[in-house]
Amino acid sequence: MRTTPHKALAACISAFAALAATALSLTPAAAAPHQAPSAAAACTPGQVVANGGFESGTSPWTQSQTGLITSRAGQTAHGGTAFAWLNGVGRTHTDTLSQSVTIPSGCSTATLTFWLHIDTAETTTSTKYDKLTAKIGSTTLATYSNLDKNTGYAQKSFDVSAFAGQTVSVAFTGTEDSSLQTSFVLDDLALDTSGGTTPPGDSTRTPTAPSYTVNLSSNTSGTVWTGHESASFTNASPTPLGEVYLRLWDNYHGTCSAMPITVSNVTGGTAGALSVACTALKIDLPTPLAQGQTATIGFDLGITVPSGADRFGYDGAFSMLGNALPVLAVRDGAGWHLDPYTNNGESFYSLASDFRVALDHPSTLLVPATGASVDTPGTSGRTVTTATATKVRDFAWAAGPFSKISGTSTAGTPINIYSVSGISSADSQSMLTTAKSAVDAHSARFGAYPYGELDAVIDNNYWFGGMEYPGFVLDLVSTTALTHEIGHQWWYGIVGDDEYTSPWLDEAFTDYATDLALNKTGANCWSSVSWASSAEKITNSMGYWDAHSSRYSTVVYGYGKCALHDLRRVLGDTVMAELLKDYATSHWYGVSTTAEFKAAAQAATTTDLTSFWTQHRIDG
């Protein structure tokens, strides 16, 4: 989860996603319809834009003139070979491109995404001479101009769930003035839908108690891993479980025709089509599982790490593998949660699970990972690092010739700092000191750290600031950022939440915990609050924040933690401290919701908090 001091930078970084339609070796039609999940009968998660990568000619697109959909020289595709090239003629000119789409009425989530490259001969830094307008139906989603020129493609994302049940046009109009060309180049459009509005017969979260067994072997650099994964699980719900979904989250960082995460040779079920930009894979079970029954699926797994200092990427000789292992999606009262990946924050929602992961790698590489690790000799020149973790929501690791230092916090937690080249020994020691202090401070407030050792991988090239996984964090050299990421071990790691629907439950709570650990009181911070619109709320989902990315950090992190500081002032320091510790205890390895936290806060005081929630725009 991105840390507050670096969010402004994060908003400026282009993602590495792709939204063309293809799938594994199973079927090339990621957008192909498939049977609706039994728990969300009103919505079949899928992708409704046809030929979004323009690789299948012009149909069903309507273009104002022949040749807008092209592969001609002068521009390049984001994925594949074809793209849509609007304008670029250097005179008064208008181009239009549109397609009619139907957004299913039963889907509560609908996200339109596309990749846009803009180049221009205009030299002004202040005047919008040439423009591209993106619309759905009669609603303008965004307008771009020559001032938005970029050297590559940037992904744009919009929440269009308000159009569920409608047939509307997705349309782009490009206009140029009388001189100096601007080219607007579009590729890999998708409109992903999920989230049934018809709930199952109960709100039980399932499949529960997942247990993952993974065996992978790497190439010499640690950038390619191949092997096998199996997942055992139980249906906790009285509603039969006829299928499961695997989230292949890191396919966001590639294209559907060249996926970083590949799954093949599935056993224990029948693999269906990929959906949600190739990050969700449906697996139909041979027979529906009744409540309390257990099943196991298995599959061959391939992981190819892309270039880039990212939570999934390699920075020189150092590879980071966050969210690389496929994990089971969650079905609850809202149906299957198949939200799109967000690079602005997090989309992750998973239940506490057990992992046993064996990583075979060259002995020249150190491999920090989630859980407790044991190294044993492998074949000549190789080592097998076996990591075991219980009651964690995900598993991550890194590989590279790291420099490593270790220590133990005052309360007894082993800490390992792994630094990439260029990090000074003084900075590594500083981060070790920070980690010791942070893990003990958070433990004292919210409950003892349960995951044994804690590994931190330090790299000042991370564009995102920091990111946490259970027992494993990525971070810059920053006291505040590292304290924040370690705080996430409690807020999301131990006390889980649906990060796409309720990002404030982990980010605001963690930033509040960071303030407390660093002896910051948040005095008067609410006095600087200024809302951008009536729709802006602390409790908005990532669908909203992806469409208003410049406000995400300010509201979710800043206003969110200030609201908690204000709540502390209403309740008193002692009551607030008891509230959070008791709340963490009661949700230990479980899932938190806004409604549950509000109820717990109200139970801790005789003061009616209704006006407090309204003033602070905390809904739910």
Side-chain angles (χ1 to χ4, degrees):
M1 291 145 190
R2 323 305 193 171
T3 50
T4 305
H6 310 286
K7 292 304 290 187
L9 175 60
C12 301
I13 303 296
S14 298
F16 302 105
L19 303 163
T22 187
L24 305 172
S25 55
L26 309 170
T27 171
H34 53 276
Q35 292 297 312
S38 61
C43 179
T44 298
Q47 199 285 100
V48 300
V49 169
N51 191 23
F54 308 111
E55 302 298 318
S56 303
T58 59
S59 180
W61 293 100
T62 299
Q63 49 184 344
S64 57
Q65 64 180 48
T66 302
L68 297 188
I69 296 175
T70 182
S71 57
R72 70 183 188 271
Q75 298 290 343
T76 58
H78 174 260
T81 59
F83 47 88
W85 184 351
L86 281 67
N87 305 113
V89 298
R91 55 180 169 78
T92 302
H93 183 79
T94 299
D95 284 329
T96 61
L97 181 72
S98 64
Q99 179 182 145
S100 178
V101 299
T102 299
I103 303 177
S105 59
C107 295
S108 60
T109 299
T111 305
L112 174 68
T113 55
F114 56 87
W115 289 84
L116 175 63
H117 167 59
I118 303 172
D119 70 42
T120 184
E122 301 282 2
T123 58
T124 179
T125 59
S126 59
T127 304
K128 300 178 180 180
Y129 290 115
D130 310 318
K131 299 177 182 179
L132 177 76
T133 300
K135 299 180 70 173
I136 184 165
S138 60
T139 299
T140 297
L141 299 173
T143 300
Y144 308 97
S145 75
N146 47 282
L147 299 183
D148 299 306
K149 64 183 179 181
N150 50 354
T151 54
Y153 279 90
Q155 190 190 36
K156 310 300 179 182
S157 178
F158 302 92
D159 180 359
V160 294
S161 54
F163 296 89
Q166 301 181 37
T167 297
V168 290
S169 175
V170 174
F172 301 88
T173 300
T175 60
E176 285 182 286
D177 71 346
S178 58
S179 65
L180 298 178
Q181 74 85 25
T182 298
S183 295
F184 301 101
V185 189
L186 295 159
D187 201 359
D188 290 334
L189 291 89
L191 203 165
D192 288 300
T193 60
S194 64
T197 55
T198 301
D202 67 283
S203 59
T204 305
R205 299 179 180 97
T206 199
T208 192
S211 179
Y212 300 92
T213 301
V214 184
N215 291 275
L216 297 174
S217 181
S218 82
N219 64 352
T220 57
S221 62
T223 58
V224 177
W225 299 77
T226 57
H228 190 268
E229 177 177 344
S230 65
S232 299
F233 51 88
T234 300
N235 180 22
S237 167
T239 303
L241 190 67
E243 72 285 319
V244 294
Y245 283 84
L246 287 174
R247 294 317 306 261
L248 283 58
W249 285 115
D250 283 335
N251 277 344
Y252 173 86
H253 297 277
T255 67
C256 287
S257 57
M259 293 180 290
I261 311 298
T262 59
V263 167
S264 59
N265 299 322
V266 174
T267 60
T270 303
L274 282 161
S275 61
V276 197
C278 297
T279 66
L281 174 63
K282 183 186 181 187
I283 297 179
D284 289 303
L285 302 178
T287 57
L289 289 184
Q291 186 175 26
Q293 289 186 323
T294 297
T296 300
I297 58 172
F299 47 88
D300 291 336
L301 175 63
I303 301 170
T304 302
V305 183
S307 176
D310 209 334
R311 53 191 176 189
F312 179 62
Y314 66 84
D315 181 17
F318 304 93
S319 294
M320 319 301 164
L321 294 101
N323 308 111
L325 294 183
V327 294
L328 291 164
V330 177
R331 191 189 78 184
D332 60 18
W336 283 105
H337 286 259
L338 301 178
D339 298 305
Y341 185 104
T342 174
N343 207 41
N344 193 39
E346 284 73 44
S347 304
F348 315 127
Y349 176 26
S350 55
L351 303 183
S353 310
D354 295 340
F355 286 83
R356 185 184 186 279
V357 181
L359 303 168
D360 184 326
H361 57 88
S363 300
T364 54
L365 305 179
L366 295 182
V367 179
T370 292
S373 296
V374 175
D375 287 345
T376 57
T379 58
S380 179
R382 297 181 69 87
T383 296
V384 178
T385 298
T386 301
T388 304
T390 58
K391 300 296 184 182
V392 297
R393 300 181 192 280
D394 204 345
F395 184 96
W397 73 100
F402 297 102
S403 297
K404 176 186 176 183
I405 60 173
S406 302
T408 303
S409 74
T410 300
T413 298
I415 309 287
N416 302 304
I417 302 295
Y418 294 83
S419 300
V420 305
S421 55
I423 303 296
S424 70
S425 59
D427 282 342
S428 295
Q429 287 291 341
S430 173
M431 292 299 92
L432 179 59
T433 299
T434 293
K436 291 177 182 178
S437 175
V439 74
D440 284 355
H442 297 317
S443 290
R445 286 188 173 90
F446 310 123
Y449 177 73
Y451 296 137
E453 68 183 28
L454 174 64
D455 296 337
V457 177
I458 308 299
D459 185 342
N460 276 334
N461 289 330
Y462 293 143
W463 66 265
F464 50 86
M467 178 69 194
E468 89 300 330
Y469 297 94
F472 177 93
V473 301
L474 308 173
D475 221 311
L476 307 171
V477 176
S478 167
T479 296
T480 300
L482 186 56
T483 302
H484 176 101
E485 299 311 331
I486 293 174
H488 274 304
Q489 299 300 310
W490 284 262
W491 303 108
Y492 182 69
I494 298 167
V495 181
D497 64 89
D498 177 347
E499 293 181 298
Y500 191 86
T501 300
S502 303
W504 91 286
L505 286 172
D506 48 279
E507 297 298 0
F509 280 60
T510 299
D511 239 23
Y512 174 77
T514 301
D515 274 5
L516 297 183
L518 298 177
N519 299 312
K520 297 178 181 178
T521 65
N524 301 316
C525 65
W526 190 259
S527 63
S528 63
V529 166
S530 177
W531 302 104
S533 73
S534 60
E536 189 171 82
K537 299 175 182 179
I538 288 174
T539 47
N540 282 346
S541 74
M542 287 307 306
Y544 178 89
W545 297 118
D546 279 346
H548 304 82
S549 59
S550 66
R551 295 288 293 170
Y552 171 58
S553 174
T554 298
V555 177
V556 173
Y557 291 71
Y559 296 178
K561 76 172 179 181
C562 287
L564 293 174
H565 280 299
D566 269 11
L567 182 61
R568 174 172 52 83
R569 283 182 273 272
V570 170
L571 301 180
D573 290 358
T574 300
V575 173
M576 183 67 166
E578 291 174 349
L579 166 64
L580 288 179
K581 192 160 191 175
D582 290 347
Y583 189 78
T585 299
S586 65
H587 289 78
W588 205 259
Y589 301 137
V591 175
S592 170
T593 66
T594 298
E596 288 171 334
F597 177 71
K598 289 171 67 175
Q602 185 60 76
T605 181
T606 58
T607 301
D608 186 347
L609 296 177
T610 301
S611 61
F612 179 91
W613 306 127
T614 301
Q615 176 194 356
H616 293 81
R617 299 198 183 189
I618 295 173
D619 291 352

